[in-house]
Amino acid sequence: MSHSPITTLDKDGQEITTVGFNRFGFDSEVPLDVLRSLYLRSHYVLSTNNLDDVNDLDSGAAEIQHAKFLQGHAAYQSKSIYHPDTQSISYTTLSRFPPVKLLPPSQRKRILVTGGAGFVGSHLVDRLMLLGHEVTVLDNFFTGSKTTVSHWIGHPNFEMVRHDVVEPFMIECDQIYHLACPASPPHYQFNAVKTIKTSFMGTLNMLGLAKRTKARFLISSTSEVYGDPEVHPQTEEYWGHVNPIGPRACYDEGKRVAETLTYGFQRQDGVDVRVARIFNTYGPRMNPYDGRVVSNFIVQALKGEDMTVYGDGNQTRSFQYVHDLIDGLITLMNSDETRPVNIGNSDEFTIGEFAELVREIVEKVQDQDGDVRMRRVDIVYKEMPTDDPQKRRPDTTRAKESLGWQPRWTVRMGLEEMVRYYKAKMAEGSI
């Protein structure tokens, strides 16, 4: 069965066929369709409780949802089988690994990614693997999941290590992307002391490793270092407005002290550092139950439940798609910019407007796939949580000027991909 591919247009109406850049002597460009084949598809085949039907289903019904996106990359997919009647699954390894660039040793880097099984980390790992580098992932799986990078396990360029960055770790490497830390309020508030410990001790250990191996070190900081800002939009020069003893302080102050530590190592020991202040990001592989606004809205709408907005819906957020963020992180790592850099999308929405946009896109995808809705979901308003910032929008002038980076994905295009991802996860029974 053939399907016309869904085209993705950027903010200027140009079709997006690749992600990444060839900048600062580092080529990070990969084809979008190959990257999509790693996440925009059910992990396994829906079975009709009869093993003889598996081949038919694999090429038929189970493919329909995502054939529009994948266009011929099914050979690199797992062929596991799901039995809905017994709620059981028969796992298998990949048929074959996706093709990766064959780099000469002089260009191939040994890259360590802490938190590499998390939402952002797994997309970074996909990109670095496709580019042909040797990637080691460190993760303790507190919020990360093995399934996000399981398609690389066994690849000669890939290593997965279960390890908590609070404990020292020894390895030889050229670059360290330090992403390890729970990043959503339910997770980082679950054990506040552990969150601060991860931010401080984890960063201390990884900076120590960078010092010993002379590796370049990038820390994923956050827009939370600005707290509930009194300046709008926020530039990197703004020092922030943070409650040091509130429920979010374990994360906010943890990231602030991690930045302090990072620049301490730069000044005192000459470590080559990069600091990325990441603003709200969304995309496939976000944990649907981690309390983030985008995943909450999409899952509620797909399930036909009313969408919950906290407060009056007038607080604003800016959302960037995960591919834009990965472009920014890789470009920053390989640039000469050592000051903190905001990486985010400056298109601002009120939460109320965003809820309506999500509802519209979910309905569009359901209509395209011929799904019948019982009713239109409503938007309901509930009380605002403590210390929830009213306004958050990055000033990305520095990223534009020193990295040549700016977001390419529209919120609408990114949301459509994410809706299809969650829809597939529901079809395979994992949400």
Side-chain angles (χ1 to χ4, degrees), residues 125-198:
V125 166
D126 281 349
R127 189 82 65 88
L128 295 172
M129 283 296 297
L130 291 172
L131 292 170
H133 299 285
E134 294 176 14
V135 179
T136 302
V137 167
L138 276 197
D139 208 295
N140 70 346
F141 303 118
F142 173 54
T143 57
S145 165
K146 251 189 223 176
T147 56
T148 60
V149 287
S150 58
H151 49 274
W152 294 115
I153 289 174
H155 194 287
N157 290 357
F158 181 79
E159 191 173 358
M160 170 93 237
V161 183
R162 182 191 289 265
H163 183 85
D164 192 323
V165 290
V166 165
E167 306 297 334
F169 184 76
M170 304 296 174
I171 193 174
E172 294 303 316
C173 55
D174 304 309
Q175 293 184 343
I176 300 170
Y177 288 88
H178 180 43
L179 276 56
C181 191
S184 69
H187 290 141
Y188 67 63
Q189 291 171 8
F190 174 76
N191 185 340
V193 173
K194 172 72 173 172
T195 299
I196 302 165
K197 198 173 172 185
T198 302

Side-chain angles (χ1 to χ4, degrees), residues 154-356:
H155 194 287
N157 290 357
F158 181 79
E159 191 173 358
M160 170 93 237
V161 183
R162 182 191 289 265
H163 183 85
D164 192 323
V165 290
V166 165
E167 306 297 334
F169 184 76
M170 304 296 174
I171 193 174
E172 294 303 316
C173 55
D174 304 309
Q175 293 184 343
I176 300 170
Y177 288 88
H178 180 43
L179 276 56
C181 191
S184 69
H187 290 141
Y188 67 63
Q189 291 171 8
F190 174 76
N191 185 340
V193 173
K194 172 72 173 172
T195 299
I196 302 165
K197 198 173 172 185
T198 302
S199 285
F200 183 79
M201 292 300 298
T203 306
L204 182 69
N205 286 331
M206 290 304 115
L207 281 162
L209 177 62
K211 177 184 169 184
R212 281 192 300 278
T213 58
K214 296 185 168 50
R216 183 173 290 181
F217 176 88
L218 181 146
I219 183 169
S220 63
S221 188
T222 169
S223 57
E224 298 285 347
V225 298
Y226 302 123
D228 190 356
E230 295 168 309
V231 171
H232 202 66
Q234 295 85 52
T235 68
E236 292 87 350
E237 306 303 325
Y238 178 53
W239 289 357
H241 178 234
V242 178
N243 175 0
I245 57 171
R248 300 169 75 105
C250 58
Y251 184 66
D252 301 8
E253 296 290 21
K255 286 294 190 183
R256 284 164 71 96
V257 78
E259 285 195 19
T260 307
L261 202 54
T262 301
Y263 284 111
F265 268 77
Q266 182 199 46
R267 294 187 192 105
Q268 192 170 313
D269 299 303
V271 176
D272 195 11
V273 302
R274 305 288 181 269
V275 174
R277 289 182 180 159
I278 299 170
F279 282 69
N280 280 0
T281 305
Y282 69 99
R285 299 196 188 127
M286 269 181 100
N287 183 332
Y289 303 113
D290 69 2
R292 285 184 171 112
V293 65
V294 186
S295 46
N296 277 2
F297 284 168
I298 293 175
V299 172
Q300 286 175 330
L302 281 172
K303 286 184 171 177
E305 299 169 358
D306 290 338
M307 299 164 72
T308 311
V309 173
Y310 292 97
D312 58 8
N314 289 325
Q315 67 272 38
T316 67
R317 291 290 183 277
S318 54
F319 299 97
Q320 72 176 331
Y321 195 50
V322 67
H323 292 331
D324 281 330
L325 169 60
I326 301 305
D327 287 350
L329 291 179
I330 294 176
T331 308
L332 175 60
M333 172 64 96
N334 295 287
S335 75
D336 294 325
E337 181 57 79
T338 58
R339 299 171 298 173
V341 177
N342 288 339
I343 301 182
N345 193 334
S346 50
D347 291 349
E348 200 170 11
F349 286 84
T350 70
I351 297 291
E353 286 170 346
F354 192 71
E356 286 171 18

